[in-house]
Amino acid sequence: MKLPRFVSSLLSSPVGRAVLALVGMLVLGAIFNADGAFFHWTTHRDMLRQLSVYGMLACGMTLVIITSGIDLSVSSVLAACAVGFSLMTIHMQMNPWVAIVAVLLGGTAVGAVSGVFVGRFKIQPFVVTLAAMVLLRGLAKHLSGGQKISTYIADADKTVTLPPIFERIDARVLGDNIAIVTLIFLFCVLVSAILLRHSRLGRYFYATGGNAEAARLSGVPVTRTLILAYALSGLFSAIAGVCQAAQEQQGDPETGMGYELQAIAIVVIGGTNLAGGRGGMGLTLVGALTIGYLQKILSINAVGEASRLMLTGAIIVCAVLLQRRK
């Protein structure tokens, strides 16, 4: 069936496809508005808060996918960092800022190790990050003893006070209209966008993803570029881990399972090419809003978790098929 020229023109560009998907989602929300709930600001505010952790993971995933890679370990890095942050602040009573710095450095180091295996030893990113995903999930369970790290300390049979940093990160500002985690997500988007558009490293990411061998012959340090891409993905995953712990007020070794699927969906629906070399953070932001509204519309209409997962998988396939459109 031949599409109208306007629609065909929109579908021919990544920006057009991403914006069209977001507009379609808003139209669906207006139709299935759950007795007007979709038109309340609190619905949109909560949607922004809920997508923030996914969005932080997607920031790192975008950088890695632009280099023609993939990072399946983001959800496990998130869980390990959430457990580590909770252990240090709740059980060990460490200074929260010291704990945050330690967790961010740990997440960055874990990502850099994955980058070394991908860039230096030429192992497929899928294999490396799949192994990292399993290893780090195991580490999170080992650190926590398989239990959630909360204010109740089972070994000492006592309850401690939740450090104020948890409530500060999970608070809302501007008249209770926007969550701190949403601002952190937008800050991550801004930093990533500046890095991609206005730095030499950003140009190296695109060159490596477009054609690694040509980039190498042109003087691009491909191995170092890949290590930095995965290190940044680890950093954003660690930030997401701290925010996840603050929102749940505990460190759960099982938290974040399947979040890598959401992060990939956000990047792909945004229009960043899975083959690498093309994409951007603006597209990822549009993709995050599309996925966020999809989840919220399904939630306010009481659609079950199983249906949401199946729909997300189907949308990823459709987005990839649209990327093949010339």
Coordinates of all heavy atoms in Angstrom, one line a residue, residues 19-59:
V19 N 9.5 11.2 16.3 CA 8.4 12.1 16.7 C 7.0 11.6 16.4 O 6.1 11.7 17.2 CB 8.6 13.5 16.0 CG1 7.5 14.4 16.2 CG2 9.9 14.1 16.4
L20 N 6.9 10.9 15.3 CA 5.6 10.3 14.9 C 5.2 9.2 15.9 O 4.0 9.2 16.3 CB 5.8 9.6 13.5 CG 4.5 9.3 12.8 CD1 3.7 10.6 12.5 CD2 4.7 8.6 11.5
A21 N 6.2 8.4 16.4 CA 5.8 7.4 17.5 C 5.4 8.1 18.8 O 4.4 7.7 19.4 CB 7.1 6.6 17.8
L22 N 6.0 9.2 19.1 CA 5.6 9.9 20.4 C 4.3 10.6 20.2 O 3.4 10.5 21.1 CB 6.7 11.0 20.7 CG 6.4 11.9 21.9 CD1 6.2 11.1 23.2 CD2 7.5 13.0 22.1
V23 N 4.0 11.2 19.0 CA 2.7 11.8 18.8 C 1.6 10.7 18.8 O 0.5 10.9 19.4 CB 2.7 12.5 17.4 CG1 1.3 13.0 17.1 CG2 3.6 13.7 17.5
G24 N 1.9 9.6 18.2 CA 1.0 8.5 18.2 C 0.6 8.0 19.6 O -0.5 7.7 20.0
M25 N 1.7 8.0 20.5 CA 1.5 7.6 21.9 C 0.6 8.6 22.6 O -0.3 8.2 23.4 CB 2.8 7.4 22.6 CG 2.8 6.4 23.7 SD 2.2 4.8 23.2 CE 3.5 4.3 22.0
L26 N 0.8 9.9 22.4 CA 0.0 10.9 23.0 C -1.5 10.8 22.6 O -2.4 11.0 23.4 CB 0.6 12.3 22.7 CG 1.9 12.6 23.3 CD1 2.5 13.9 22.8 CD2 1.8 12.6 24.9
V27 N -1.7 10.5 21.3 CA -3.0 10.3 20.8 C -3.7 9.1 21.4 O -4.9 9.2 21.9 CB -3.0 10.2 19.2 CG1 -4.4 9.8 18.7 CG2 -2.5 11.4 18.6
L28 N -2.9 8.0 21.6 CA -3.5 6.9 22.3 C -3.8 7.2 23.7 O -4.9 6.8 24.2 CB -2.4 5.7 22.3 CG -2.4 4.9 21.0 CD1 -1.2 3.8 21.2 CD2 -3.7 4.2 20.7
G29 N -3.0 8.0 24.4 CA -3.3 8.4 25.7 C -4.5 9.2 25.8 O -5.3 9.1 26.8
A30 N -4.7 10.1 24.9 CA -5.9 10.9 24.9 C -7.2 10.1 24.6 O -8.2 10.4 25.2 CB -5.8 12.0 23.8
I31 N -7.0 9.0 23.8 CA -8.2 8.2 23.5 C -8.5 7.3 24.8 O -9.6 7.2 25.2 CB -7.9 7.3 22.3 CG1 -7.8 8.2 21.1 CG2 -9.1 6.3 22.1 CD1 -7.4 7.5 19.8
F32 N -7.4 6.6 25.2 CA -7.6 5.7 26.4 C -7.1 6.4 27.6 O -6.1 6.1 28.2 CB -6.8 4.4 26.2 CG -7.2 3.6 24.9 CD1 -6.4 3.7 23.8 CD2 -8.3 2.8 24.9 CE1 -6.8 3.0 22.6 CE2 -8.7 2.1 23.8 CZ -7.9 2.2 22.6
N33 N -7.9 7.4 28.0 CA -7.5 8.3 29.1 C -7.8 7.9 30.5 O -7.6 8.7 31.5 CB -8.0 9.8 28.8 CG -9.5 9.8 28.7 OD1 -10.2 9.4 29.6 ND2 -10.0 10.2 27.6
A34 N -8.5 6.8 30.7 CA -8.8 6.2 32.0 C -9.6 7.3 32.8 O -9.2 7.7 33.9 CB -7.6 5.8 32.8
D35 N -10.8 7.6 32.2 CA -11.7 8.6 32.9 C -11.0 10.0 33.2 O -11.2 10.6 34.2 CB -12.2 8.0 34.2 CG -13.1 6.8 34.0 OD1 -13.7 6.8 32.9 OD2 -13.1 5.9 34.8
G36 N -10.2 10.4 32.2 CA -9.5 11.7 32.4 C -8.2 11.7 33.1 O -7.6 12.8 33.2
A37 N -7.8 10.6 33.6 CA -6.5 10.5 34.4 C -5.3 11.0 33.6 O -4.4 11.6 34.1 CB -6.3 9.1 34.9
F38 N -5.4 10.7 32.3 CA -4.2 11.0 31.4 C -4.0 12.5 31.3 O -2.9 13.0 31.0 CB -4.4 10.4 30.0 CG -3.2 10.6 29.1 CD1 -2.1 9.9 29.2 CD2 -3.3 11.6 28.1 CE1 -1.0 10.0 28.4 CE2 -2.2 11.8 27.2 CZ -1.0 11.0 27.4
F39 N -5.1 13.3 31.5 CA -5.0 14.8 31.4 C -4.5 15.5 32.7 O -4.4 16.7 32.7 CB -6.3 15.3 30.9 CG -6.8 14.7 29.6 CD1 -8.0 14.0 29.6 CD2 -6.1 14.9 28.5 CE1 -8.4 13.4 28.4 CE2 -6.5 14.3 27.3 CZ -7.7 13.5 27.2
H40 N -4.3 14.7 33.7 CA -3.9 15.3 35.0 C -2.3 15.5 35.0 O -1.6 14.5 34.5 CB -4.3 14.5 36.2 CG -5.8 14.4 36.4 ND1 -6.4 13.5 37.2 CD2 -6.8 15.2 35.8 CE1 -7.7 13.7 37.1 NE2 -7.9 14.7 36.3
W41 N -1.8 16.6 35.4 CA -0.4 16.8 35.5 C 0.4 15.7 36.3 O 1.5 15.3 36.0 CB 0.0 18.2 36.0 CG 1.4 18.3 36.4 CD1 2.0 18.6 37.6 CD2 2.5 18.2 35.4 NE1 3.3 18.6 37.5 CE2 3.7 18.4 36.2 CE3 2.7 17.9 34.1 CZ2 5.0 18.3 35.7 CZ3 3.9 17.8 33.5 CH2 5.1 18.0 34.3
T42 N -0.3 15.3 37.4 CA 0.4 14.3 38.2 C 0.7 13.0 37.5 O 1.7 12.3 37.8 CB -0.5 14.0 39.5 OG1 -1.8 13.6 39.0 CG2 -0.6 15.1 40.4
T43 N -0.1 12.7 36.5 CA 0.1 11.5 35.7 C 1.4 11.7 34.9 O 2.3 10.8 34.8 CB -1.0 11.3 34.7 OG1 -2.2 11.1 35.4 CG2 -0.8 10.0 33.8
H44 N 1.6 12.8 34.3 CA 2.8 13.1 33.5 C 4.0 13.3 34.4 O 5.1 12.8 34.1 CB 2.6 14.4 32.7 CG 1.4 14.3 31.8 ND1 1.5 13.9 30.5 CD2 0.1 14.6 32.0 CE1 0.3 13.9 29.9 NE2 -0.5 14.3 30.8
R45 N 3.8 13.9 35.6 CA 4.9 14.0 36.6 C 5.4 12.6 37.0 O 6.6 12.4 37.0 CB 4.4 14.8 37.8 CG 5.5 15.0 38.9 CD 4.9 15.4 40.2 NE 4.0 14.4 40.7 CZ 3.2 14.5 41.7 NH1 3.1 15.7 42.3 NH2 2.5 13.5 42.2
D46 N 4.5 11.7 37.3 CA 4.9 10.4 37.8 C 5.5 9.6 36.6 O 6.4 8.8 36.8 CB 3.6 9.7 38.3 CG 3.1 10.3 39.6 OD1 3.9 11.1 40.2 OD2 2.0 10.0 40.0
M47 N 5.0 9.8 35.4 CA 5.6 9.1 34.3 C 7.0 9.5 34.1 O 7.9 8.7 33.9 CB 4.8 9.5 33.0 CG 5.3 8.8 31.7 SD 6.6 9.7 30.9 CE 5.9 11.3 30.5
L48 N 7.3 10.8 34.2 CA 8.7 11.3 34.1 C 9.6 10.7 35.2 O 10.8 10.4 34.9 CB 8.7 12.9 34.2 CG 8.1 13.6 33.0 CD1 8.0 15.1 33.3 CD2 9.0 13.4 31.7
R49 N 9.1 10.6 36.4 CA 9.8 10.0 37.5 C 10.1 8.5 37.2 O 11.2 8.1 37.4 CB 9.1 10.2 38.8 CG 9.7 9.5 40.0 CD 8.9 9.7 41.2 NE 9.5 9.0 42.4 CZ 9.2 7.7 42.7 NH1 8.5 7.0 41.9 NH2 9.8 7.2 43.7
Q50 N 9.1 7.8 36.7 CA 9.3 6.4 36.5 C 10.2 6.1 35.3 O 10.9 5.0 35.4 CB 7.9 5.8 36.2 CG 7.0 5.7 37.5 CD 5.6 5.5 37.2 OE1 5.2 5.3 36.0 NE2 4.7 5.6 38.2
L51 N 10.3 6.9 34.3 CA 11.1 6.6 33.2 C 12.6 7.1 33.4 O 13.5 6.8 32.6 CB 10.6 7.3 31.9 CG 10.7 8.8 31.7 CD1 12.1 9.2 31.2 CD2 9.7 9.2 30.6
S52 N 12.8 7.8 34.5 CA 14.1 8.4 34.7 C 15.2 7.4 34.8 O 16.3 7.6 34.2 CB 14.1 9.3 35.9 OG 13.3 10.4 35.7
V53 N 15.0 6.3 35.6 CA 16.1 5.3 35.7 C 16.3 4.6 34.4 O 17.5 4.4 34.0 CB 15.7 4.3 36.8 CG1 16.6 3.1 36.7 CG2 15.8 4.9 38.2
Y54 N 15.2 4.3 33.7 CA 15.4 3.7 32.3 C 16.2 4.7 31.4 O 17.1 4.2 30.7 CB 14.0 3.5 31.6 CG 13.1 2.5 32.3 CD1 11.7 2.7 32.3 CD2 13.6 1.3 32.9 CE1 10.9 1.8 32.9 CE2 12.8 0.4 33.5 CZ 11.4 0.7 33.5 OH 10.5 -0.2 34.1
G55 N 15.8 5.9 31.5 CA 16.5 6.9 30.7 C 18.0 7.1 31.0 O 18.8 7.2 30.0
M56 N 18.4 7.0 32.3 CA 19.8 7.0 32.6 C 20.5 5.9 32.0 O 21.6 6.0 31.4 CB 20.0 7.0 34.1 CG 19.5 8.3 34.8 SD 19.5 8.1 36.6 CE 18.2 9.1 37.1
L57 N 19.9 4.7 32.0 CA 20.6 3.5 31.4 C 20.6 3.7 29.9 O 21.6 3.3 29.3 CB 19.7 2.2 31.7 CG 19.6 1.8 33.2 CD1 18.8 0.5 33.3 CD2 21.0 1.6 33.8
A58 N 19.6 4.3 29.3 CA 19.6 4.5 27.9 C 20.6 5.5 27.4 O 21.1 5.5 26.3 CB 18.2 5.0 27.4
C59 N 21.0 6.5 28.3 CA 22.1 7.4 27.9 C 23.4 6.7 27.7 O 24.0 6.9 26.6 CB 22.3 8.4 29.1 SG 21.0 9.7 29.3

